Amino acid sequence: MIKLGFSECTVTPPVGIWLGGFSNRTAPSTGVRDHLRAQVMWLESTDREEEHVVVVVDQVGLTRSWTDTLQERLQHLWGLRSDQVLVHWTHTHCAPLYREPTPGFEHAVFSSDYFNGLIDAIIEVSRSARDDMEPVSLFFGTGSSDLAFSRRLIVDGQNVFAANPYGVVDHDVPVVKASRSDGSCKLVLFSYACHPTITNGLLISAEFPGVARSLIEKRIPGTQAMFLQGCGADAVVGVVSSEKERYLLQDQWEDVEAAGRSLAWKVLLTLAHQMEPVIDDTLAGFTESCYPTFEYFPARIELEERAKGEHVGDSRWANFLLQRFPDEPIWPLNIEARVHGLRLGDIYFLGHPGEVVAAYGLRLKERHPKLRLITLGYCHSQIGYIPRRSMYDEGGYEVDAWRTWGYPSRWDRNIEQLFESTAETVLLKLKMGETP
C-alpha cells in the first residue's frame, strides 16, 4: 500500500500584476475572477524506501532556474533528489508573467517578488502535505471529452490558426482516485490535454481547470481535486472560425464556466462507472534529459536586416535581440529538455517540458496500449513549443513561436526523435521499477 499526503494554498497575486500568456495585453490585471492554487501531493511507499512529490501550480509557465531553486530547497529540507520532485503547471493564461519580458512582452513587468514568495508558499504546503500522510487505496479510470479542438486548420498545405474538427486531439480524461481506509475519497487527480485560453481579459483566474476542480470538490464532500495539463499545445476550447474571433466574444467567462463544468462532469461520470483498483504498490521516479538545438544561428548583420523587414513579429524579435546583444549575439547551442517519469503502482506519469503538441502523447499511448499512461506537458521548465516534424512545412504558431523565447531560430527537425527516444528511455526505466 502507498501513503499519500496532500495540501494546497491560495497563491493569487495582488491585483495590478502583469499577466502572461497573451502579448496583446497592454495593461496589468484589474481584478480576480477566481483564485490560483499551489498544490502538493506527497507519496511514500509503506516501507519508506521511496518518496516522491508532485507540485502543481496555477501558472502560465515556470523557468528552469525557478524550478531548480524549488528542488534545491526541497533537497535541503528533506533530502529529495530532483527525480523525486515532479513540478507541473496548469498553463492558465490568466496568471502572472513568469519571466523577464521577451519579444512581444516588452511593455509588461515581471514580478520576481511574487515568484520568490511562490517558492516559500510551496515549501509550507509541502510541509503540510508531508504531515498529512496516510495509507490510501488507489483506483484508475479513463473517460473521454470532446471539449478540445485542434487549432491547426490546414488550407492549401499551410496552417491557419482556426478550429480543425478533423485535427489531431487527445480526448482522454484519465482519472486517479485515492481513498482513505474508511472508504472516503481523499483526492481526485485528473488530466486533460487542452489550452486554458478561453479568455484573454485582465482578470486573474485558474480558467476552466479551476472551475472543474471546484465542481468536483463540491460534488464529493471531503475530497480535494488536482488537475494536470496533458500534451495539448495545439488544442483549444471555444474556437470559432479563428482564434482571434474567440477573443472578441462578450461571453468569454460564461464559456470558461461551461467548459470547466463539462470537464468536471466527465470526471464524475468516470468516477461513478469506470474506476478499477490499482493493485501494484511500486513507487518509482526517473528523469532523463535531451538537448535539442536550433536550425541556424543568425549573425548581427542578419538581425539588423530583419529588424527593418515588414514581418512585424520578426522585426520586433530582431530589434529586441539587437538591444540585448550590443555586439555579435551569443546564442545557446542547445536547451535542456528534462523528461520526468513517475510510477504510482501501475499508473505511469510521463511529464514533458514545454508545450508539447497532442501527437506526442497519443503516439506514446498507441505504442504502449497496455499501460495506464498519463502523458503531460508543462513540466520542469517552459522551453517553448515542441512541434512534430510534419508540422514544419505547414508552418503555424507551434513551429514559429520561437521568437517569443528569444531563440535564434526554429528547433532543429530532429527534436521529435529526441523527445520520443528520451520518453521511451524513461518509460523503460519505470517499467523496471528503477530509480537512480
Side-chain angles (χ1 to χ4, degrees):
M1 185 171 286
I2 289 174
K3 292 182 179 180
L4 183 150
F6 182 86
S7 186
E8 67 177 24
C9 71
T10 297
V11 290
T12 306
V15 173
I17 201 168
W18 282 82
L19 303 180
F22 295 104
S23 61
N24 64 346
R25 289 183 173 123
T26 57
S29 58
T30 58
V32 177
R33 173 76 184 193
D34 54 272
H35 288 292
L36 308 185
R37 303 187 194 184
Q39 303 177 313
V40 172
M41 177 174 65
W42 198 298
L43 301 163
E44 180 182 278
S45 57
T46 50
D47 56 13
R48 299 184 64 86
E49 289 187 359
E50 276 296 316
E51 288 183 290
H52 289 270
V53 173
V54 178
V55 177
V56 178
V57 289
D58 288 328
Q59 300 294 328
V60 66
L62 296 172
T63 64
R64 173 184 171 181
S65 62
W66 186 93
T67 299
D68 287 349
T69 299
L70 172 63
Q71 291 178 333
E72 288 167 5
R73 292 274 301 274
L74 291 168
Q75 183 176 35
H76 174 74
L77 288 168
W78 295 292
L80 296 170
R81 304 180 305 268
S82 60
D83 60 279
Q84 293 176 282
V85 182
L86 174 58
V87 178
H88 177 80
W89 62 96
T90 62
H91 199 48
T92 171
H93 280 46
C94 296
L97 181 70
Y98 68 96
R99 58 184 174 177
E100 292 289 345
T102 51
F105 291 87
E106 298 91 338
H107 55 283
V109 178
F110 169 70
S111 174
S112 58
D113 289 344
Y114 172 76
F115 281 92
N116 290 336
L118 182 59
I119 289 180
D120 293 336
I122 292 171
I123 294 299
E124 292 308 309
V125 172
S126 299
R127 197 183 309 276
S128 298
R130 193 168 185 263
D131 292 340
D132 182 61
M133 206 82 66
E134 61 182 315
V136 294
S137 298
L138 298 173
F139 301 84
F140 179 85
T142 301
S144 179
S145 171
D146 58 2
L147 193 64
F149 277 80
S150 169
R151 66 183 186 187
R152 293 183 58 82
L153 180 64
I154 308 303
V155 179
D156 297 328
Q158 292 299 302
N159 178 71
V160 178
F161 210 154
N164 180 359
Y166 307 105
V168 177
V169 177
D170 188 347
H171 294 294
D172 287 350
V173 183
V175 180
V176 179
K177 174 185 174 183
S179 295
R180 302 180 182 91
S181 57
D182 63 3
S184 63
C185 182
K186 180 182 179 72
L187 177 68
V188 172
L189 183 152
F190 64 106
S191 179
Y192 191 56
C194 185
H195 257 91
T197 54
I198 299 177
T199 176
N200 69 339
L202 297 177
L203 298 182
I204 297 164
S205 171
E207 252 260 2
F208 78 82
V211 174
R213 282 188 316 227
S214 295
L215 181 57
I216 292 167
E217 291 167 346
K218 289 179 181 178
R219 291 295 184 268
I220 310 176
T223 194
Q224 292 174 293
M226 173 181 269
F227 171 80
L228 301 177
Q229 185 63 251
C231 299
D234 49 347
V236 287
V237 177
V239 214
V240 192
S241 60
S242 73
E243 184 79 347
K244 291 182 179 179
E245 185 177 337
R246 158 74 265 167
Y247 304 129
L248 297 177
L249 299 178
Q250 299 300 311
D251 59 350
Q252 293 176 9
W253 289 111
E254 293 179 24
D255 291 348
V256 170
E257 290 286 334
R261 294 178 72 84
S262 173
L263 180 58
W265 283 117
K266 297 295 185 180
V267 173
L268 292 168
L269 188 65
T270 302
L271 286 167
H273 299 289
Q274 295 175 255
M275 305 300 288
E276 297 180 350
V278 174
I279 306 301
D280 192 342
D281 61 357
T282 301
L283 184 59
F286 192 84
T287 60
E288 182 82 6
S289 292
C290 60
Y291 296 86
T293 187
F294 304 96
E295 283 190 331
Y296 68 97
F297 303 88
R300 183 176 178 83
I301 188 170
E302 182 178 345
L303 293 179
E304 292 171 346
E305 293 173 355
R306 293 169 73 169
K308 302 173 185 176
E310 296 181 357
H311 188 290
V312 176
D314 201 55
S315 175
R316 184 172 57 194
W317 163 82
N319 275 298
F320 179 90
L321 292 169
L322 286 171
Q323 294 178 23
R324 180 182 177 190
F325 300 117
D327 300 309
E328 279 294 317
I330 303 173
W331 301 113
L333 294 179
N334 54 47
I335 300 293
E336 182 190 11
R338 187 183 302 174
V339 178
H340 193 126
L342 171 64
R343 180 175 173 183
L344 178 56
D346 61 356
I347 305 170
Y348 293 77
F349 297 85
L350 193 64
H352 302 81
E355 305 202 40
V356 183
V357 297
Y360 280 93
L362 289 169
R363 284 269 298 259
L364 279 166
K365 287 186 281 190
E366 288 171 0
R367 286 197 294 267
H368 303 278
K370 295 182 179 180
L371 287 187
R372 290 171 166 175
L373 182 57
I374 300 177
T375 55
L376 307 173
Y378 311 97
C379 296
H380 184 247
S381 61
Q382 173 58 295
I383 62 173
Y385 279 88
I386 312 300
R388 293 293 303 277
R389 184 184 182 93
S390 59
M391 294 177 174
Y392 276 67
D393 293 334
E394 300 166 348
Y397 192 68
E398 293 78 14
V399 178
D400 295 324
W402 52 269
R403 296 180 182 87
T404 304
W405 280 268
Y407 290 156
S409 64
R410 304 187 301 187
W411 297 113
D412 186 270
R413 295 190 183 209
N414 72 353
I415 192 169
E416 179 178 334
Q417 179 182 357
L418 277 174
F419 262 62
E420 293 198 339
S421 61
T422 304
E424 291 293 342
T425 298
V426 172
L427 276 179
L428 178 61
K429 295 289 187 180
L430 290 180
K431 283 182 184 179
M432 299 169 65
E434 289 189 18
T435 55

